[in-house]
Amino acid sequence: MNYNFEEILETIKMTEIEHFDIRTVTLGISLRDCIDRNVEVSKQKIYDKIIKYGSKHVKYAEEIEANFGISIANKRVSITPISIPFDSYKTDEFIEIAKVLDKAAGEIGIDYLAGYSALVQKGFTNGEMEMINSIPFVLAETKRITASVNVASTKAGINMDAINIMSEKIKQTAELTKDDDSIGCAKLVVFANIPEDNPFVAGAFHGVTEPEAVLNVGISGPGVVLDAIKNAGSVDLQQLAELIKKTVFKTTRAGELIGRKVAEKHGIPFGIIDISLAPTPAKGDSIADILVAMGVEDVGAHGTTAALAMLNDAVKKAGLMASSSVGGMSGAFIPVSEDEGMIKAVERGNLSIEKLEAMTSVCSVGLDMVAVPGDTPATTIAGIIADECAIGVINDKTTSVRIIPAYGKSVGESVDYGGLLGLAPIMAVREISSDRFVKRGGRIPAPMRSLTN
Amino acid sequence: MNISDEKIREIALNAIKELGDNANQQNVKEVVEETIKKLGNSLPEKSTDMDQVILTSFGLNKPGVIAAITKALSEANCDISDLSQKLMGDFFTMIMIVNTSNSTLSLNEIQNKMKKISDEMKIKIMMQHEEIFKSMHRI
């Protein structure tokens, strides 16, 4: 037999017991040719194009799932950052476009469509300003649209004006969606160094240098890594790194195969595989549990950042060996609400927002799905975003903030969205003010790239 | 066979050029259809890759389990290229490599048949294309 018993059973164990699945296959579609002076014509073009490329997306993914016996958790679509082709539109027109996108997404049977985005790290065009003003209304009035705004990059520096505006928009979104635990904020991410080929919602978009349509895939599999570490017993850290690498190598290979097969069915190019370990609220599908299995008592203990750094690095090394198409974020996600272990660590008082921020300096994204009191001032949120951007810009990495100032709630309460978004306990923020610093506005200049101490 | 919209447009444009002034909707359509047919014939109908599927089954051992699976496979004109089985007490695990190249049914249809057996016999049966094991366990 070409394969031995153990190999076959290992794969079956991964998919059946350890929750190994493909987290997302994301179809990127360019909307650059959909602009028209008449918004009605644009709307029709957008709708037609998404239906044309996307109508079979779910069907194809399901066929591949059945063929290989590996489930694909999410089938999604990303589009050209909406502010780019439609720069001449006004806020009301952007809202209309978002509604069409929402309708098309529903029609093709996907849960999220990402790319309601703007890239303003250096400044705003008039259209980008109009589009950003529409974000809170779009997130309140649509179900499937996710928005992202890039406010900083290593090459451009940190646009504090944009951060101040986004903090106000986050607060406004929280208020407009207050009846649903401010869920709008769970669909809005503020980025530094945003990648153009990220398949993971809510931060996904179809970059301007991407082809007409492309298929990107994001793998998952914290459960697989967790079990491997648990079974390893008391080995030293080098051996542990080796073990993580071997496991992630296999999951990456499976992910690339699935991505290529779905792309083949679509007849479009395969783009990248994002090897991020992405948790879900399901039991055993947790990054926090991996860190605990590595040896810290709970997430937040001293040593957590080191453990996360090692995990993230091992994941990258394995992924790069396994595939030549690694892209996107590719690291370990540490969202609070989407990870059972993280939720518990916050509830037990072991994980603070400050420690979480330190962890984001070595992991793939940033402060993700963090709920804070509803009365947190916008300037404090701006301070949090600015800190996160500084980490990203100085370290030449992607960082992001997806923060939920839960309207009318305070520390001790929580917001509960169910499903993949999970439950977020409200975390305390510093009560001292960032006001005078962030209100200066302007731009923090781009950093130097030598003398990096 | 899948032919992209662009390709069809290209064929149509060529046809119009060739037909010159005589081109009308009817004869362009005929030329395009003929060309597509020719293109289809020049390509092999089925890929030469063997469609190897790995069937894994486990559960409590009872008479007739293997018979039921192999019977269904043979009815679907599938060829069993390799088989290995282990018994641990009452618990059995069986792995088969099945060649479905000549099958009259699609993998999905075979999987549905297995689903039936798996419900009747209260065992677990999985059929996965070989490529997933190749990509995970072979460099």
Side-chain angles (χ1 to χ4, degrees):
Chain A
M1 197 181 265
N2 283 335
Y3 306 94
N4 62 39
F5 235 78
E6 283 68 34
E7 287 173 335
I8 290 173
L9 292 185
E10 188 187 347
T11 298
I12 306 261
K13 189 169 143 236
M14 281 184 182
T15 54
E16 295 295 306
I17 301 167
E18 297 166 346
H19 303 287
F20 172 56
D21 57 13
I22 304 302
R23 184 68 190 272
T24 178
V25 287
T26 305
L27 174 65
I29 304 173
S30 167
L31 295 186
R32 272 151 67 188
D33 57 351
C34 295
I35 178 65
D36 192 276
R37 273 160 65 191
N38 181 341
V39 68
E40 292 305 320
V41 177
S42 285
K43 278 160 65 180
Q44 190 62 43
K45 281 184 173 179
I46 292 171
Y47 182 82
D48 291 348
K49 190 151 189 192
I50 288 174
I51 299 294
K52 179 186 168 199
Y53 281 103
S55 58
K56 299 226 169 88
H57 186 44
V58 174
K59 176 173 168 271
Y60 289 156
E62 281 170 354
E63 283 171 19
I64 295 295
E65 271 182 297
N67 257 353
F68 295 104
I70 290 189
S71 83
I72 301 173
N74 301 309
K75 296 95 183 168
R76 289 170 175 168
V77 166
S78 67
I79 52 166
T80 311
I82 207 75
S83 67
I84 294 176
F86 306 107
D87 206 26
S88 55
Y89 285 171
K90 301 279 179 252
T91 301
D92 292 346
E93 291 163 322
F94 275 113
I95 296 174
E96 280 187 54
I97 286 183
K99 286 185 178 162
V100 164
L101 289 168
D102 197 40
K103 185 175 158 219
E107 201 90 350
I108 62 175
I110 58 168
D111 58 349
Y112 286 113
L113 183 145
Y116 199 78
S117 308
L119 312 173
V120 295
Q121 58 266 37
K122 202 128 178 228
F124 306 89
T125 63
N126 295 337
E128 278 163 347
M129 209 55 175
E130 298 282 340
M131 179 266 169
I132 286 174
N133 283 332
S134 75
I135 289 177
F137 301 102
V138 165
L139 296 179
E141 288 169 36
T142 63
K143 247 173 79 183
R144 302 178 182 84
I145 306 301
T146 68
S148 58
V149 176
N150 193 62
V151 295
S153 77
T154 301
K155 288 274 163 71
I158 302 171
N159 185 347
M160 193 59 85
D161 295 330
I163 291 178
N164 284 328
I165 291 169
M166 285 316 297
S167 310
E168 297 287 351
K169 296 299 161 200
I170 289 170
K171 291 276 287 183
Q172 194 186 351
T173 306
E175 192 180 344
L176 284 175
T177 55
K178 64 183 176 192
D179 295 337
D180 299 307
D181 272 350
S182 302
I183 196 172
C185 297
K187 299 181 286 181
L188 172 57
V189 201
V190 180
F191 271 97
N193 288 326
I194 192 168
E196 301 220 331
D197 51 9
N198 159 33
F200 285 103
V201 168
F205 71 79
H206 184 74
V208 286
T209 55
E210 298 283 316
E212 182 72 7
V214 73
L215 198 284
N216 295 324
V217 55
I219 59 166
S220 167
V224 183
V225 175
L226 177 64
D227 267 26
I229 292 174
K230 275 189 183 161
N231 294 335
S234 55
V235 295
D236 75 9
L237 292 172
Q238 262 156 317
Q239 285 169 289
L240 201 59
E242 194 59 29
L243 196 79
I244 297 169
K245 278 179 4 188
K246 280 183 181 154
T247 311
V248 173
F249 181 88
K250 288 173 191 161
T251 55
T252 306
R253 298 274 287 199
E256 179 166 356
L257 174 72
I258 302 279
R260 284 193 185 282
K261 291 290 172 186
V262 176
E264 205 174 276
K265 285 216 174 236
H266 273 288
I268 61 172
F270 171 66
I272 58 99
I273 172 163
D274 187 320
I275 51 176
S276 299
L277 289 180
T280 67
K283 204 168 174 53
D285 212 14
S286 153
I287 302 289
D289 288 357
I290 296 178
L291 299 172
V292 170
M294 285 172 83
V296 293
E297 189 184 330
D298 199 358
V299 177
H302 295 292
T304 305
T305 310
L308 180 61
M310 185 185 126
L311 171 68
N312 204 17
D313 184 61
V315 166
K316 285 181 193 178
K317 285 171 177 163
L320 286 174
M321 172 76 187
S323 166
S324 297
S325 310
V326 174
M329 315 260 201
S330 289
F333 291 170
I334 50 166
V336 174
S337 76
E338 298 171 1
D339 186 318
E340 201 204 12
M342 300 287 277
I343 297 170
K344 291 223 170 100
V346 173
E347 283 172 348
R348 284 191 285 256
N350 291 332
L351 180 60
S352 67
I353 202 161
E354 289 85 357
K355 183 62 182 175
L356 201 57
E357 180 189 310
M359 289 163 71
T360 65
S361 63
V362 298
C363 83
S364 95
V365 197
L367 290 176
D368 196 16
M369 291 301 285
V370 174
V372 296
D375 58 2
T376 308
T379 49
T380 299
I381 294 176
I384 292 172
I385 298 174
D387 281 346
E388 229 12 85
C389 288
I391 291 173
V393 165
I394 299 290
N395 295 309
D396 211 355
K397 74 188 284 297
T398 303
T399 47
S400 72
V401 175
R402 180 158 51 146
I403 195 167
I404 303 146
Y407 192 87
K409 293 202 170 178
S410 51
V411 178
E413 296 178 86
S414 59
V415 290
D416 189 357
Y417 305 123
L420 275 174
L421 292 175
L423 177 149
I426 313 268
M427 294 172 87
V429 294
R430 292 293 175 109
E431 281 170 15
I432 42 180
S433 167
S434 325
D435 194 80
R436 270 186 60 222
F437 175 66
V438 299
K439 280 283 175 62
R440 284 174 186 271
R443 205 150 42 85
I444 299 181
M448 64 184 296
R449 307 292 306 130
S450 62
L451 299 172
T452 51
N453 296 311
Chain B
M1 197 181 102
N2 279 324
I3 296 181
S4 64
D5 292 354
E6 282 78 23
K7 188 79 195 162
I8 293 174
R9 205 169 300 136
E10 193 190 314
I11 295 169
L13 285 175
N14 278 340
I16 293 169
K17 221 190 261 171
E18 260 175 49
L19 291 166
D21 293 342
N22 298 327
N24 63 36
Q25 217 175 349
Q26 187 56 35
N27 60 21
V28 170
K29 196 177 159 208
E30 276 166 20
V31 174
V32 171
E33 273 170 0
E34 217 167 278
T35 319
I36 291 174
K37 219 184 202 173
K38 255 189 236 158
L39 270 176
N41 288 341
S42 66
L43 293 168
E45 269 194 359
K46 212 168 186 182
S47 71
T48 44
D49 285 347
M50 285 230 283
D51 276 327
Q52 300 255 54
V53 175
I54 295 191
L55 183 151
T56 318
S57 136
F58 47 87
L60 281 178
N61 194 22
K62 59 174 80 94
V65 170
I66 297 182
I69 295 174
T70 47
K71 183 162 167 269
L73 287 176
S74 88
E75 278 168 8
N77 208 17
C78 294
D79 188 24
I80 299 170
S81 11
D82 207 341
L83 186 151
S84 131
Q85 197 200 0
K86 270 184 188 167
L87 267 174
M88 283 167 280
D90 289 339
F91 202 76
F92 87 98
T93 313
M94 180 179 66
I95 296 172
M96 271 181 192
I97 299 188
V98 181
N99 186 340
T100 59
S101 314
N102 297 322
S103 174
T104 43
L105 303 178
S106 72
L107 179 55
N108 198 327
E109 288 165 323
I110 306 173
Q111 277 170 333
N112 287 339
K113 279 183 159 235
M114 290 301 154
K115 173 95 194 13
K116 242 185 180 170
I117 298 174
S118 128
D119 291 343
E120 276 165 22
M121 296 274 185
K122 298 202 168 50
I123 53 169
K124 190 115 180 134
I125 305 175
M126 273 163 287
M127 287 189 87
Q128 292 158 286
H129 202 278
E130 182 212 19
E131 273 178 284
I132 191 77
F133 299 95
K134 200 190 261 171
S135 63
M136 284 176 90
H137 299 288
R138 297 286 176 272
I139 296 180

